[in-house]
């Protein structure tokens, strides 16, 4: 591959002179930008690598850029910046802007993932296990990657950005990145070692060297086999519900798949026992999140005292000496993270956890019921986003999912209602904040669950 490294971010602030005014406008408009609603006060370059020289069509920079917002260091984002003299019409949606200052003055810069050549450069780096400046690729020697696979960008709103290569592989480029082990690579690798076929095994991945004052590398991208002809659980559930079809058999299969993945994770990675000393901070975290959510979303406030009882009930059980097992889990499981292949097999994807939480927290062993609660919420979401809402549909799916889970795990999550209610409440509170921030029209969906969770004994 022709890529050369000619730029080190720490010694080339000139690049940011060109990009700064454009990124201030463009970055906050991206779905994956985590700091919405707070103005950007400036940028610093964590790393910059020239992958294709400026002047070729296109020039290509790989950047790790920290966006400062108010106090604190700010979040670091991975950007692939294409550089051309002018954009062809097909790349119009990728436009970042026309540069008026600094070394790129007179050029047009754009999100290079929209363009095929940059996507090919990435695949070639992964295929060959390349080391390019601060970027380092590794791959599973047991999986073949053919060269020349044709890329297409995955459209649709995502937390990150993905490119599909010849319907054979999918590359996920992480957008908001932090140094350290990322569960989106760590867990699928562990599951592959364990022989668990429910999760596509990583084929190749890319690290970025630590920035100044940092000790751990960044996980930047993961390539994995593309599940062809797959439909995600959310699409399927809505489709079946609209036809008046039962989804119980699929919900049961999903319960079984979840339990298989949990079993493999418990075998592959450390587990822990949670007693009062561990439950107390967990409950404290749930309560804090509830309080913060009630501050941010006024509609939640009337329910807060009743919701808090879901957490205190768990603390009370722990105080009585009850213990629970914790293990590594998916961390943000919902119907959209489940893919059904053309042959009807379910896979789970996207092990990043809730992206807003600190990495260390996301990597801690937790009760597996947390994932179960995520899926139960998802059936409820599907049922209450339909018009008219179908609570009975949700009830059937939720029961079938728990039964399927129990068939494999040997224990039904419903036999621990206090733990389950605490986690469902915590998830619904998270969803209220998520929807208020990202999709205000959807806010009534988690709020209807909040209403039910606050009065659990109502029919
Ligand atoms: N292995 C795969 N095979 C087929 N499609 C996939 C695969 N992995 C992800 N996808 C598709 O890409 C979308 C985004 O992937 P995901 O890992 O959830 O990224 P994000 O973190 O950006 O939400 C999924 O909703 C799914 O449609
Ligand atoms: O898939 P992501 O990692 O981006 O997860 C985030 O976005 C999800 C929505 O796209 C959000 O999920 C919520 O909405 C889903 C329907 O769109 C529903 O199935 C989920 O149960 C509900 O939580 C997720 O919470 C958020 O982290």
């Amino acid at each position: 591959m022709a890529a050369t490294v000619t730029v080190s971010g720490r010694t080339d602030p000139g690049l940011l002179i060109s990009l700064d005014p454009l990124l201030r406008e463009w970055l906050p408009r991206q779905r994956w930008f985590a700091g919405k609603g707070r103005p950007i006060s400036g940028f610093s370059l964590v790393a910059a690598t020239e992958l294709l020289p400026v002047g070729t069509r296109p020039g290509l920079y790989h950047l790790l850029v920290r966006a400062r917002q108010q106090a604190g260091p700010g979040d670091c984002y991975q950007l692939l910046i294409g550089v051309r003299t002018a954009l062809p019409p097909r790349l119009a949606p990728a436009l970042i802007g026309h540069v008026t200052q600094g070394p790129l003055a007179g050029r047009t810069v754009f999100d290079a993932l929209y363009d095929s050549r940059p996507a090919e450069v990435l695949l070639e780096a992964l295929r060959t296990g390349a080391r390019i400046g601060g970027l380092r690729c590794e791959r599973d020697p047991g999986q073949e990657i053919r060269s020349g696979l044709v890329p297409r960008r995955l459209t649709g709103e995502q937390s990150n950005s993905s490119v599909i290569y010849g319907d054979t592989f999918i590359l996920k480029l992480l957008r908001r990145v932090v140094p350290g082990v990322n569960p989106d690579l760590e867990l699928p690798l562990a599951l592959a070692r364990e022989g668990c076929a429910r999760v596509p095994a990583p084929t190749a991945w890319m690290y970025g060297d630590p920035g100044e004052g940092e000790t751990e590398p960044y996980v930047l991208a993961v390539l994995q086999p593309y599940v062809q002809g797959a439909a995600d659980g959310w699409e399927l559930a809505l489709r079946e519900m609209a036809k008046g079809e039962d989804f119980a058999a699929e919900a049961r299969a999903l319960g079984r798949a979840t339990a298989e993945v949990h079993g493999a994770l418990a075998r592959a990675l450390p587990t822990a026992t949670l007693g009062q000393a561990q439950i107390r901070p967990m409950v404290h975290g749930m309560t804090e999140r509830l309080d913060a959510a009630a501050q941010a979303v006024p509609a939640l406030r009337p329910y807060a005292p009743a919701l808090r009882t879901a957490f205190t009930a768990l603390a009370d059980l722990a105080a009585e000496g009850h213990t629970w097992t914790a293990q590594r889990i998916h961390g943000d499981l919902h119907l959209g993270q489940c893919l059904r292949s053309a042959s009807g097999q379910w896979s789970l994807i996207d092990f990043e956890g809730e992206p807003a939480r600190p990495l260390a927290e996301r990597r801690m062993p937790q009760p597996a019921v947390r994932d179960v609660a995520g899926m139960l919420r998802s059936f409820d979401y599907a049922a209450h986003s339909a018009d008219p809402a179908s609570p009975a549909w949700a009830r059937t799916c939720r029961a079938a999912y728990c039964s399927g889970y129990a068939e494999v795990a040997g224990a039904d999550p419903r036999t621990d209602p206090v733990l389950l209610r605490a986690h469902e409440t915590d998830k619904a509170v998270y969803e209220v904040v998520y929807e208020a921030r990202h999709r205000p029209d959807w806010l009534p969906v988690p709020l209807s669950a909040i209403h039910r969770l606050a009065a659990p004994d109502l029919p």
Side-chain angles (χ1 to χ4, degrees):
M1 104 176 232
T4 51
V5 182
T6 58
V7 184
S8 153
R10 283 161 228 132
T11 57
D12 186 37
L15 199 53
L16 272 189
I17 295 173
S18 284
L19 297 178
D20 182 313
L22 304 179
L23 291 181
R24 274 176 205 252
E25 290 291 316
W26 179 79
L27 202 55
R29 282 190 276 119
Q30 306 312 303
R31 152 91 192 244
W32 40 263
F33 180 70
K36 297 220 166 59
R38 288 176 284 136
I40 296 176
S41 55
F43 294 102
S44 54
L45 219 43
V46 174
T49 308
E50 189 183 70
L51 292 173
L52 295 170
V54 170
T56 53
R57 237 192 296 161
L60 178 62
Y61 285 108
H62 179 282
L63 303 184
L64 295 182
V65 173
R66 197 171 289 288
R68 283 192 303 278
Q69 296 181 280
Q70 298 156 342
D75 291 320
C76 182
Y77 293 94
Q78 176 174 205
L79 308 179
L80 268 174
I81 303 288
V83 185
R84 286 175 177 259
T85 34
L87 279 194
R90 71 183 163 83
L91 290 179
L95 178 70
I96 296 176
H98 307 289
V99 184
T100 56
Q101 57 197 47
L104 299 179
R107 311 265 183 180
T108 299
V109 291
F110 64 101
D111 182 351
L113 276 191
Y114 282 72
D115 204 354
S116 53
R117 177 81 183 108
E120 286 160 9
V121 167
L122 285 181
L123 183 66
E124 195 55 13
L126 290 158
R127 197 181 74 80
T128 56
R131 163 56 115 165
I132 311 164
L135 304 177
R136 180 165 52 87
C137 298
E138 287 183 6
R139 55 172 292 190
D140 170 4
Q143 293 189 56
E144 191 201 348
I145 309 175
R146 276 196 297 117
S147 58
L149 293 169
V150 177
R152 74 182 151 90
R153 199 182 67 93
L154 186 74
T155 51
E157 293 286 286
Q158 276 185 263
S159 302
N160 297 287
S161 299
S162 301
V163 180
I164 297 161
Y165 292 94
D167 275 2
T168 307
F169 295 108
I170 179 163
L171 176 69
K172 172 153 144 182
L173 193 93
L174 297 165
R175 287 303 196 162
R176 189 168 71 93
V177 290
V178 284
V181 178
N182 189 312
D184 216 2
L185 175 61
E186 179 196 22
L187 297 188
L189 279 179
L191 288 164
R193 279 197 303 273
E194 203 54 41
C196 175
R198 292 294 186 180
V199 174
T203 311
W205 46 96
M206 185 167 79
Y207 294 110
D209 284 350
E212 232 162 48
E214 296 168 345
T215 51
E216 292 188 277
Y218 290 78
V219 173
L220 297 176
V222 181
L223 184 77
Q224 57 172 251
Y226 182 68
V227 182
Q228 293 184 11
D232 77 48
W234 177 255
E235 286 165 30
L236 278 175
L238 289 189
R239 203 188 304 157
E240 296 303 300
M241 200 181 354
K243 289 191 290 193
E245 293 288 335
D246 190 8
F247 198 63
E250 295 297 0
R252 180 180 292 263
L254 274 169
R256 296 182 63 93
T258 309
E260 277 177 41
V261 170
H262 281 166
L265 285 174
R267 288 193 298 278
L269 295 163
T271 59
T273 300
L274 306 181
Q276 194 183 9
Q278 293 76 30
I279 291 292
R280 208 186 285 139
M282 190 172 111
V283 164
H284 181 70
M286 289 172 166
T287 310
E288 270 192 345
R289 286 192 285 278
L290 170 60
D291 292 345
Q295 274 295 320
V297 186
L300 194 58
R301 285 180 203 159
Y303 301 104
L307 295 175
R308 237 171 255 131
T309 64
F311 306 147
T312 49
L314 182 58
D316 291 347
L317 265 191
E320 287 165 19
H322 200 97
T323 59
W324 291 267
T325 301
Q327 62 160 95
R328 297 299 300 279
I329 61 169
H330 180 283
D332 189 17
L333 195 58
H334 56 81
L335 280 163
Q337 316 282 36
C338 307
L339 298 180
R340 199 186 68 180
S341 71
S343 64
Q345 291 297 309
W346 284 102
S347 304
L348 307 190
I349 57 164
D350 195 1
F351 282 74
E352 204 184 1
E354 284 169 14
R357 291 205 191 197
L359 204 54
E361 207 177 293
R362 287 190 258 151
R363 293 188 61 221
M364 267 172 16
Q366 300 173 62
V369 154
R370 206 169 112 78
D371 281 347
V372 171
M375 284 301 290
L376 297 184
R377 288 288 316 115
S378 214
F379 293 119
D380 188 72
Y381 242 77
H384 286 88
S385 63
D387 189 20
S390 301
W393 183 94
R395 275 197 296 276
T396 308
C397 288
R398 287 161 58 98
Y401 178 79
C402 288
S403 302
Y405 190 92
E407 283 162 16
V408 172
D412 191 313
R414 289 169 294 185
T415 55
D416 197 344
V418 172
L419 187 67
L420 191 55
R421 178 169 167 238
H423 280 96
E424 249 201 281
T425 304
D426 189 40
K427 186 73 190 181
V429 167
Y430 164 84
E431 289 166 343
V432 165
V433 177
Y434 179 87
E435 300 302 0
R437 208 174 270 164
H438 296 279
R439 305 186 294 193
D441 291 354
W442 286 61
L443 191 53
V445 176
L447 275 179
S448 71
I450 290 289
H451 184 74
R452 289 188 298 282
L453 286 159
D457 298 328
L458 291 180

